[in-house]
Structure formats: structure tokens, C-alpha cells
Amino acid sequence: VKLLLKNYDVFSLDIVQGSKIKGKTFIKTNIVDESQVKKAFKKISERGKIDLLINNAAVMRRGNTFDSSSEDFDFLFSVNVKGSWLVTKCALPLLNKNGEVIFVSSRHSSLPTNPGLYGLSKYMLNGLSSLLEKDAVVKEKKIKVKVASLGPFETNLSMTGYSSSDYKKRKVDSKEFVAEKVFELINSKKKLLGFNKEYFFD
């Protein structure tokens, strides 16, 4: 909503349409399917170049690292890592000079035992952001690469693995609060929005 208020054209690439907001364009896209991602960015290119790319698609599976299934591994790494890589790859030619790319990571990228594979996928996402900074196109266009390593907040993803009663006992931030923090990152010269009991910029 804040981006819309700043007169951004906002596009959402997802397999399921979220809340309908005036001014936001939804393009049904499976972000792990290269042909669908390319088709989506072709539509976006008809409206012009890209100033800001936010990679925030993610899925969650809880469990200890080596008690998890291979199906969980494939699912997590396909969406959380491959999806962000593929979207970024297809967006790069359309990014404006001095544009921004933000990867939405997690406090779990510190590699807890549980959720082990989820944390590992986010750890790899952080690595992907570091590799992007070294890319020739990114350097030429002076594109800023940032990471928002978020704590728990009100989303369906954070509810994964909890009963309704147990989830209500958790301390989670509101979506609006976290969105405000991410918006601050977008408008700052900082490269990292981190979380360690509370949010900090670095």
C-alpha cells in the first residue's frame, strides 16, 4: 500500500491472488516455472522498467534438519531459493539504473536445528544476495542489493506447524509494523534489516 501511495506501479507474481488492492496488478505465476516467469516480465515490460524488486515468496516446513523428508527439501529449496533466483534473473534486464533488489530472508537464516531446512534455504537466499552484488549488470547499473531478515509476524507462513491456541501464545509483530520496517529499508542507505529479539538496521 505504501508503494502505491508513492505512485509506484505494483505487480504481484504469485499462484494465488492475495488481497485485491486498487492499483496493484496481479499476474498469476508459478515462480519456479521459467516460462511463466518470463511471460510475467514480458507483461511488466510493456509498462516500462523496474525500480524495485522484492523477492518475498516463501514456503515453510518445520522440523529438525535430518528428520525432514526429501519432499520437504525439494519444496523449500524450489520456492525459497530457485524461485527468487529465477525471478531476479528475469528481472535484471528490466531493472533501472540505481534500482533496488530486496531479498526477504528470516531470522532462521542463522541456522537453527528446527526449522532446519527452512533456515538453510534462507541462509542460501542470503548467499544469493551476495552473489548478485558481484554481478556485472548490477555493478554497471549501480543496483542496490538489500536483505530484510525478518522475525515472526502475522502471516499464514508463520502459523505453519502451530495449532491456533499455541500460535496465539506466540509474540508476533503485526504485518503493518513489519511492512513499515521494510519500507524504511527501501528508503535508507542501509543494506540489512535484521532481527535479534527486535529489529535493527545495518
Side-chain angles (χ1 to χ4, degrees), residues 73-134:
F73 186 100
D74 291 343
F75 183 53
L76 288 163
F77 281 79
S78 179
V79 176
N80 297 356
V81 183
K82 180 185 176 182
S84 292
W85 166 76
L86 190 52
V87 167
T88 303
K89 176 183 175 180
C90 293
L92 270 180
L94 294 175
L95 279 164
N96 270 321
K97 188 174 182 180
N98 297 314
E100 287 190 28
V101 177
I102 294 181
F103 291 91
V104 176
S105 184
S106 166
R107 63 181 176 137
H108 293 310
S109 62
S110 61
L111 301 179
T113 302
N114 184 354
L117 292 182
Y118 173 79
L120 182 58
S121 71
K122 290 297 187 176
Y123 178 84
M124 289 186 68
L125 191 66
N126 294 351
L128 183 62
S129 73
S130 297
L131 288 171
L132 181 62
E133 283 188 298
K134 300 174 184 178

Side-chain angles (χ1 to χ4, degrees), residues 25-36:
T25 302
F26 170 71
I27 304 175
K28 187 172 183 179
T29 311
N30 182 344
I31 64 165
V32 302
D33 184 319
E34 186 166 6
S35 63
Q36 290 190 37

Side-chain angles (χ1 to χ4, degrees), residues 107-184:
R107 63 181 176 137
H108 293 310
S109 62
S110 61
L111 301 179
T113 302
N114 184 354
L117 292 182
Y118 173 79
L120 182 58
S121 71
K122 290 297 187 176
Y123 178 84
M124 289 186 68
L125 191 66
N126 294 351
L128 183 62
S129 73
S130 297
L131 288 171
L132 181 62
E133 283 188 298
K134 300 174 184 178
D135 184 82
V137 173
V138 169
K139 288 183 176 181
E140 179 186 348
K141 292 184 177 181
K142 297 181 180 179
I143 293 167
K144 296 176 282 293
V145 181
K146 302 180 179 183
V147 174
S149 188
L150 306 182
F153 65 105
E154 297 168 345
T155 62
N156 289 335
L157 184 143
S158 72
M159 292 180 67
T160 303
Y162 286 94
S163 65
S164 296
S165 57
D166 286 342
Y167 187 74
K168 288 178 182 177
K169 298 174 186 176
R170 298 186 72 204
K171 183 183 182 301
V172 296
D173 290 312
S174 69
K175 290 184 285 188
E176 293 76 17
F177 173 79
V178 175
E180 184 66 42
K181 289 295 181 182
V182 174
F183 195 70
E184 287 179 30

